[in-house]
Amino acid sequence: MSAERLLRAGTAVVATADRGGRIAAVGIAFGWHFAVNVPGIASGWTDYRVPWASAAGWVLFTVVGVLATARLFYGFAVPVIPLLTVLLIVDVLVIAVTPDGHMFDTPNWAWGTIGWFALLLLYDRGMVALVTVLALNALFGLVGVVAASTEAQGAADLSRFVMYIYGTGVLPIALMAAMGVLRDTAEKAAATEAARAALESERLGAVHAQRERQDRLGIVSEAAGALLHDLATGRADPADLDVQRACALAAGRLRRLIAESDDVPDPLLHELRACVDVAERQGVPVDLIAVGELPTLDVAIRRRLAEPLAATLATARHWARVTVVAQPDEVVVSLTTPATAGPASESYSWPMDGVVDYWYERDEELVWTQTRWRAA
Amino acid sequence: MDADTMAGGMTYGSGAARVSVAIVDDHPVVLEGVRSWLSADPRLEVVATGDNVEAVRSAARADVILLDLRLHGRMAVDEVSELSAAGQRVVVYSEHHEPNTILAVLDAGAVAFLAKHEGRDHCVETVLAAAADRPYVPPSLAGAMVGDRRSSRPALSEKEREALLLWFQSMSKASVAKRMQISEHTVKQYVDRARIKYARAGRPAATKSALLARAIEDGLIRPEEIGTYRSYASPDRPLP
């Protein structure tokens, strides 16, 4: 699997884990709101100072919860601060209408529920905001407890207050912290796996490229070796123009093959320069002129663009002009050089797999070759 | 050269008025070299040389100013603009033949750009063509045009682009014609048309008015292609 696909898969795993956390938060908040708060409101209905205020608060909590759920699952934009303010107002309202002696009972439902609904609004907005809401909730509760507490029960009420705050606050905080850790862990694991896969891809690519280069080097070396053998044994005459041409061709191919593996900004130009360098060492002045910005080309396409030129360049004698015209979807490489030995008039062309086309033309004055790549 | 009539009715050749040329270059060796190239051609006369524009401006007004782009360490594009706006035909030559540089020089109003490595023949041809207000495209200029990716570039036809591409590769015009299966005259027309399109897209300059008028006379473009022919051709009305 490619690094990119692994990274996408990792992102999907992170998204799935995160979605699980959101479902859990919504399930707990609404489960609590229906299964615990409704019976609480019903049981305290006759005791509330203003029963409808508590019921209206429950409806407002429900509305806020639905909006927060829409944000969590559908990206629905909601005003977070105003909705948190609504929750805190309801919190104060319910504390105010809860009868004395019931502060730690189910009729004071908003006090124990606000943490879960605040979590829905603040799910991915950091721990500080949630702790702030819970701290305000604790403050309002403390005021209510102190106001309702009698002198005899004062110490006991404060103790129960601390336990209550701890019990209702710690769970939303724990869930938010756990989901944060899960997200980070999944993201790191996905990134690590993608990096590992990228390394593996590079390694396999390098092995493949090396094998291919060795194969080509073998072919080129065989030709160069045969030539050297003929020269050494006297079967080939260094003064023979054909032998010189064969030597130049072999040298050009070797140089280009070496250049092919270099990590440079414009590999095609780099490879062409390697061919040109061989010709210049033969005493042939070569102009290499490029216009346009080269697109990224596979090594196979670069070879097809440069190889015919390298072969013709080996025949150059007096001067040569190499031109490269690059467009995002087209690269044209050409060589012009005075005509030397060969048929006075020769012309042929053929498409190379329909990707890189090749033309060759020779008249009394000039030899011209052109390779042309067009994006499919 | 296949055209021998100059703007203003002058002719050159044996016994006729010669094209006067001023050369600006801050390298004495190059200055001497270019002077000897041009002086060797009987149709040309070098009337002034100098290492800055002021040195030749005070001399007799030359038909063509051959200006080295890099003078005393800086690019003389502003001088190209000034001279062109004043109605001088400026041919810029330089060893800096990057396409962006060439196109900037054309935008500044130069009649042509010549790379220093392009040698004597192209130099003489370019100066003669400039004096006659005819477009001439040396290979370096063709390369800059064919590789132009700017959004403001003129729209060249496929044939014009192909002709520029092959000419940039420095095939002979005969080879270009053979490759494109058209006549040499048509090859020249395609390349010249491309240059005229660049001239039309460039800055206002009196020489461009003349260039355009001549292009219409030669049948390279039709008057209706540029709208109000008379106003464009008028020497006292700059191009829009």
Side-chain angles (χ1 to χ4, degrees):
Chain A
M1 190 184 279
S2 73
E4 196 182 331
R5 286 178 63 193
L6 261 176
L7 204 56
R8 280 205 300 272
T11 307
V13 169
V14 173
T16 304
D18 192 48
R19 186 177 170 80
R22 288 165 197 244
I23 291 170
V26 170
I28 292 170
F30 277 96
W32 192 282
H33 197 47
F34 284 99
V36 179
N37 291 348
V38 171
I41 293 169
S43 67
W45 190 259
T46 53
D47 298 326
Y48 278 126
R49 292 192 177 96
V50 185
W52 288 108
S54 180
W58 187 91
V59 172
L60 284 173
F61 256 57
T62 309
V63 171
V64 171
V66 168
L67 289 173
T69 303
R71 187 186 84 82
L72 278 178
F73 289 103
Y74 304 107
F76 192 68
V78 297
V80 173
I81 301 292
L83 292 182
L84 283 173
T85 308
V86 168
L87 292 180
L88 288 167
I89 289 171
V90 171
D91 189 26
V92 171
L93 187 72
V94 174
I95 290 170
V97 300
T98 297
D100 294 344
H102 289 280
M103 287 303 289
F104 301 106
D105 294 340
T106 50
N108 188 16
W109 57 269
W111 204 25
T113 315
I114 191 169
W116 293 111
F117 279 79
L119 175 63
L120 298 186
L121 285 169
L122 301 169
Y123 184 80
D124 47 10
R125 292 171 189 261
M127 188 66 78
V128 174
L130 180 63
V131 170
T132 305
V133 171
L134 290 171
L136 285 171
N137 179 46
L139 182 65
F140 299 151
L142 181 62
V143 172
V145 167
V146 169
S149 184
T150 61
E151 199 173 320
Q153 289 178 317
D157 280 350
L158 281 178
S159 174
R160 288 172 74 189
F161 167 78
V162 172
M163 286 174 61
Y164 199 88
I165 289 300
Y166 181 79
T168 56
V170 75
L171 286 175
I173 290 173
L175 181 63
M176 183 181 263
M179 288 318 301
V181 169
L182 190 62
R183 266 199 305 269
D184 287 351
T185 308
E187 279 168 5
K188 279 179 188 159
T192 306
E193 188 57 24
R196 192 196 62 74
L199 274 175
E200 181 62 13
S201 297
E202 277 182 25
R203 191 188 68 77
L204 288 174
V207 168
H208 177 76
Q210 190 187 16
R211 194 183 305 128
E212 201 186 37
R213 284 183 61 226
Q214 278 174 341
D215 290 347
R216 285 171 52 78
L217 190 61
I219 295 167
V220 176
S221 299
E222 199 175 317
L227 199 57
L228 287 171
H229 180 263
D230 287 351
L231 284 167
T233 55
R235 285 167 59 189
D237 178 8
D240 184 341
L241 284 179
D242 284 341
V243 173
Q244 288 177 7
R245 177 178 176 277
C247 289
L249 182 58
R253 281 184 171 153
L254 278 168
R255 287 297 301 272
R256 208 187 63 69
L257 190 65
I258 292 165
E260 193 177 280
S261 63
D262 291 347
D263 189 10
V264 289
D266 289 318
L268 178 66
L269 285 183
H270 182 63
E271 288 156 33
L272 290 174
R273 280 188 205 106
C275 299
V276 166
D277 186 51
V278 173
E280 286 180 333
R281 281 163 194 263
Q282 305 276 319
V284 180
V286 183
D287 278 335
L288 171 58
I289 304 152
V291 297
E293 276 185 35
L294 279 162
T296 304
L297 298 170
D298 290 344
V299 66
I301 291 174
R302 299 203 310 266
R303 265 182 212 152
R304 287 173 178 178
L305 283 168
E307 194 79 56
L309 180 137
T312 309
L313 198 54
T315 69
R317 283 294 170 266
H318 305 298
W319 57 263
R321 177 178 167 89
V322 176
T323 57
V324 181
V325 174
Q327 311 278 353
D329 55 354
E330 182 184 47
V331 176
V332 187
V333 180
S334 159
L335 168 73
T336 311
T337 189
T340 52
S345 181
E346 189 182 355
S347 174
Y348 49 88
S349 64
W350 64 85
M352 292 164 75
D353 298 343
V355 177
V356 178
D357 299 329
Y358 170 62
W359 288 268
Y360 176 93
E361 196 173 292
R362 174 203 294 268
D363 56 26
E364 290 79 2
E365 294 176 358
L366 291 174
V367 172
W368 168 72
T369 66
Q370 179 185 277
T371 48
R372 189 170 198 159
W373 166 81
R374 287 189 179 94
Chain B
M1 296 297 297
D2 49 1
D4 60 359
T5 305
M6 288 175 55
M10 289 188 299
T11 56
Y12 52 79
S14 59
R18 292 193 291 175
V19 170
S20 57
V21 188
I23 310 169
V24 183
D25 198 305
D26 58 348
H27 290 97
V29 173
V30 178
L31 200 58
E32 272 312 303
V34 174
R35 179 210 279 271
S36 77
W37 280 356
L38 301 184
S39 300
D41 193 295
R43 295 167 296 183
L44 299 173
E45 180 184 13
V46 178
V47 294
T49 59
D51 67 352
N52 62 62
V53 171
E54 292 309 318
V56 299
R57 213 200 298 263
S58 56
R61 184 182 169 96
D63 294 325
V64 178
I65 294 181
L66 195 57
L67 176 69
D68 179 19
L69 187 58
R70 192 170 182 83
L71 292 173
H72 304 289
R74 68 172 199 87
M75 299 298 237
V77 179
D78 289 345
E79 282 85 341
V80 176
S81 299
E82 283 171 27
L83 290 168
S84 301
Q88 278 282 4
R89 303 177 187 90
V90 182
V91 172
V92 171
Y93 73 113
S94 178
E95 72 275 23
H96 300 280
H97 47 83
E98 300 78 20
N100 286 344
T101 307
I102 298 176
L103 295 172
V105 164
L106 288 189
D107 285 349
V111 175
F113 181 96
L114 190 70
K116 278 188 176 171
H117 68 260
E118 281 174 327
R120 179 188 177 280
D121 289 346
H122 281 303
C123 184
V124 170
E125 289 266 343
T126 306
V127 169
L128 286 171
D133 289 326
R134 282 187 298 102
Y136 183 76
V137 179
S140 59
L141 189 50
M145 290 177 183
V146 83
D148 189 1
R149 298 296 299 166
R150 302 175 308 175
S151 57
S152 59
R153 68 187 182 278
L156 304 181
S157 73
E158 195 51 43
K159 296 277 189 190
E160 288 161 358
R161 190 176 176 278
E162 193 68 17
L164 283 175
L165 173 67
L166 294 171
W167 182 231
F168 172 54
Q169 295 171 359
S170 249
M171 303 173 67
S172 67
K173 288 245 168 74
S175 295
V176 177
K178 186 176 157 196
R179 175 77 202 102
M180 292 182 72
Q181 297 184 323
I182 52 179
S183 71
E184 281 186 58
H185 176 71
T186 311
V187 171
K188 187 175 175 305
Q189 268 199 336
Y190 284 143
V191 174
D192 290 351
R193 268 176 175 270
R195 177 65 191 97
I196 289 164
K197 285 182 178 177
Y198 268 83
R200 286 165 67 187
R203 286 185 45 195
T207 49
K208 284 184 183 164
S209 300
L211 182 74
L212 205 51
R214 185 56 194 259
I216 294 165
E217 281 175 38
D218 291 350
L220 289 169
I221 54 173
R222 296 187 303 278
E224 55 268 31
E225 283 184 72
I226 55 165
T228 52
Y229 158 54
R230 284 183 189 286
S231 63
Y232 287 159
S234 172
D236 56 352
R237 287 285 298 273
L239 282 169

